[in-house]
Amino acid sequence: MCDWKGISIAALAIGVIGMAWHTVESILTMGYYTDPAYYSIWSKIMIPAAGPPPASFMALSFVFGLVGWAIFAFVYAKLGSAIKQKDELKKGLKFGALAFLLAGIPNSLTMYLLLNIPSGLLAAWMVSPFMLYLTGGMVCAQLVKAD
């Protein structure tokens, strides 16, 4: 039986952590978002006009994040028991590192090929998922019962 309650709580917790993390990250990398040389790469949902993203973008970001973290927690529920580690936090770290290797790195490399993203911003976008996957793994290890 799947631990839907644990998955839901973990997704919400990681979603909130992720939103806070991405808010700080976007403040630190704001120069890339406001540089006219890169205006054409941002979606109209994110930056419909000059200025900061609208509240609707933040809401969609949170909802999309919840979906992603719910999938992450579900995969942990199904595969977490395959990670042989007695310490739950270390088990979560291993799961998060594996998720980053399987999703974070290929995603970043694909973005580099397809989009005109400055390398400095791409580097920041690689660090963020790495930290969030590790954090998400530790949260899942504490909140989600693996089958």
Side-chain angles (χ1 to χ4, degrees):
M1 193 74 179
C2 204
D3 180 16
W4 293 111
K5 181 180 177 183
I7 290 169
S8 300
I9 294 169
L12 184 60
I14 307 164
V16 169
I17 292 166
M19 192 65 139
W21 179 272
H22 287 304
T23 298
V24 171
E25 173 206 329
S26 65
I27 290 168
L28 295 174
T29 58
M30 187 56 65
Y32 293 112
Y33 301 105
T34 58
D35 186 339
Y38 298 109
Y39 280 167
S40 65
I41 65 171
W42 310 122
S43 76
K44 297 299 179 197
I45 296 169
M46 179 176 155
I47 302 180
S56 60
F57 173 76
M58 301 302 282
L60 281 173
S61 293
F62 187 72
V63 170
F64 288 10
L66 282 178
V67 170
W69 290 118
I71 294 168
F72 183 91
F74 176 79
V75 172
Y76 180 85
K78 293 299 178 188
L79 302 178
S81 60
I83 299 172
K84 303 303 178 202
Q85 186 73 44
K86 290 182 182 181
D87 183 307
E88 289 295 318
L89 290 180
K90 287 182 181 177
K91 181 177 183 176
L93 284 171
K94 283 185 177 183
F95 179 79
L98 180 60
F100 179 73
L101 289 173
L102 291 172
I105 291 175
N107 182 50
S108 295
L109 294 174
T110 301
M111 278 195 293
Y112 184 72
L113 287 174
L114 298 177
L115 304 173
N116 181 28
I117 296 174
S119 57
L121 185 57
L122 186 63
W125 285 357
M126 282 188 79
V127 170
S128 279
F130 179 66
M131 299 305 293
L132 287 172
Y133 285 146
L134 294 178
T135 302
M138 290 188 297
V139 169
C140 286
Q142 295 298 308
L143 298 176
V144 179
K145 294 178 188 128
D147 289 345

